[in-house]
Amino acid sequence: DSGVTQTPKHLITATGQRVTLRCSPRSGDLSVYWYQQSLDQGLQFLIQYYNGEERAKGNILERFSAQQFPDLHSELNLSSLELGDSALYFCASSPLGGPEAFFGQGTRLTVV
Amino acid sequence: DAKTTQPPSMDCAEGRAANLPCNHSTISGNEYVYWYRQIHSQGPQYIIHGLKNNETNEMASLIITEDRKSSTLILPHATLRDTAVYYCIVVGMIKAAGNKLTFGGGTRVLVKP
């Protein structure tokens, strides 16, 4: 158990819909990262937040957005969903100055 | 961050050492080598990292060549639970706020009884 909690574990939704994925980082970790893993693209970095502020951005689609709240939990919002958005979405957190990231167990999103 | 090259797959016998190579010939002086693994669609798990010197922890050893252009992750006594995809990642200077990770294809390791 990494200490990073993601909910829900599974999500099935229809094209065009909007969903919210939630992540609770390890206690004390200020940084939260979101990654997407699809069969054809592998693990891709989406976005990083540090203490509520956006810190780094990867190949995140405009239809996707994220935020980190004062209690440090984070949410990834995916809208206008397409079949190609079906993937595993991982959240990770890291401690201040720590080199390693701790990943949650992921949310498996299926768009039908 | 420098790119890495890893063999797509390898087999290993249970109880034997598994040696996983990684090439990072364009690595620069302040970049670190990290290793993560992912067991069957679970979240990736940090294994070890290093800059120049060889490193060892309870999970594995990391051997970095003197020119730093390649490295080897060693799992000393592989078990069936070590079956996973292993990722070698080069990361720039460690930031206080943390570093994003750029995953490649990794090496799919199958530990056989």
Side-chain angles (χ1 to χ4, degrees):
Chain A
D1 181 9
S2 67
V4 177
T5 303
Q6 291 187 246
T7 56
K9 287 190 169 49
H10 302 275
L11 198 49
I12 301 175
T13 190
T15 53
Q17 294 298 304
R18 172 190 169 94
V19 297
T20 297
L21 312 184
R22 183 188 169 98
C23 169
S24 294
R26 294 187 330 148
S27 177
D29 286 357
L30 298 178
S31 277
V32 168
Y33 313 77
W34 286 96
Y35 290 82
Q36 179 193 54
Q37 186 172 32
S38 57
L39 281 175
D40 55 346
Q41 294 287 334
L43 265 163
Q44 303 244 314
F45 167 74
L46 294 178
I47 197 163
Q48 177 198 359
Y49 278 83
Y50 175 75
N51 202 22
E53 305 263 335
E54 183 184 302
R55 183 56 67 109
K57 214 166 185 175
N59 295 326
I60 186 167
L61 299 172
E62 285 192 14
R63 300 184 286 109
F64 295 2
S65 65
Q67 55 184 327
Q68 186 179 28
F69 294 87
D71 67 353
L72 301 178
H73 92 271
S74 178
E75 292 180 356
L76 179 67
N77 300 296
L78 315 176
S79 61
S80 303
L81 285 167
E82 303 174 359
L83 296 177
D85 297 327
S86 295
L88 268 168
Y89 290 85
F90 290 105
C91 169
S93 72
S94 65
L96 181 66
E100 68 267 35
F102 297 86
F103 284 76
Q105 290 304 298
T107 293
R108 183 176 293 278
L109 173 67
T110 303
V111 183
V112 298
Chain B
D1 299 336
K3 286 198 183 322
T4 62
T5 304
Q6 299 177 253
S9 65
M10 64 183 294
D11 293 346
C12 174
E14 187 180 19
R16 305 293 294 268
N19 296 288
L20 283 61
C22 179
N23 181 284
H24 32 78
S25 58
T26 60
I27 194 169
S28 48
N30 62 353
E31 291 181 317
Y32 289 74
V33 179
Y34 282 66
W35 284 82
Y36 282 76
R37 72 180 183 183
Q38 186 176 25
I39 298 172
H40 187 56
S41 297
Q42 295 179 21
Q45 177 189 24
Y46 166 81
I47 302 174
I48 199 167
H49 77 284
L51 182 63
K52 295 179 185 176
N53 301 321
N54 299 337
E55 302 288 343
T56 296
N57 63 20
E58 65 278 3
M59 289 183 69
S61 295
L62 174 60
I63 309 296
I64 303 174
T65 57
E66 196 168 335
D67 64 6
R68 302 211 322 123
K69 293 185 177 182
S70 65
S71 60
T72 300
L73 179 75
I74 301 172
L75 307 177
H77 305 286
T79 70
L80 299 180
R81 287 178 297 181
D82 291 323
T83 291
V85 178
Y86 287 78
Y87 296 98
C88 170
I89 303 169
V90 169
V91 178
M93 187 166 30
I94 296 172
K95 301 174 186 173
N99 297 66
K100 68 179 177 74
L101 301 171
T102 301
F103 290 84
T107 296
R108 189 171 297 274
V109 173
L110 176 61
V111 180
K112 295 182 173 179

